Amino acid sequence: MQVTIDLPDKLTEKIQRKWGNLPEKILNNIVLEAFREQLIDFDELKELLNFASDAELREFLKQKNILHSGGLINLYGACADIDFAMDDF
């Protein structure tokens, strides 16, 4: 599916300066939200975001504040094949 969104020029300039590749940013956020809402599973998340390794995925989840025990989702124990560390909260 292809979606077109009209954004005000002033907002577009600020977004591109801060975020760079807007289509990639939007896609990543939609995929992450689908994962949070359990529309997709962990393997689909990894596939849709095109991560070649678990390390890349771990870093992405850390950046999005998903990968810690006090966050929105606690992945520790949910994905036994990946070595997640618990936070000291």
Side-chain angles (χ1 to χ4, degrees):
M1 174 192 326
Q2 189 163 12
V3 177
T4 302
I5 301 172
D6 293 321
L7 296 173
D9 291 338
K10 187 174 182 179
L11 177 61
T12 302
E13 292 167 11
K14 290 179 181 184
I15 288 172
Q16 286 186 316
R17 273 193 306 248
K18 177 79 175 179
W19 295 341
N21 186 339
L22 186 57
E24 180 181 333
K25 177 83 170 177
I26 291 169
L27 180 59
N28 287 351
N29 286 333
I30 289 172
V31 169
L32 188 57
E33 189 61 27
F35 178 72
R36 284 181 178 141
E37 293 189 15
Q38 301 177 344
L39 297 173
I40 60 173
D41 63 23
F42 189 78
D43 290 331
E44 290 170 309
L45 172 72
K46 186 176 174 181
E47 178 186 337
L48 290 168
L49 294 177
N50 296 314
F51 288 116
S53 70
D54 290 341
E56 288 177 331
L57 181 57
R58 256 194 319 271
E59 185 58 34
F60 175 79
L61 294 173
K62 285 179 188 177
Q63 290 173 0
K64 297 296 185 179
N65 295 320
I66 300 300
L67 189 58
H68 60 84
S69 58
L72 297 173
I73 297 176
N74 181 359
L75 292 177
Y76 184 80
C79 304
D81 58 329
I82 296 180
D83 182 26
F84 293 118
M86 292 285 287
D87 290 343
D88 295 327
F89 291 110

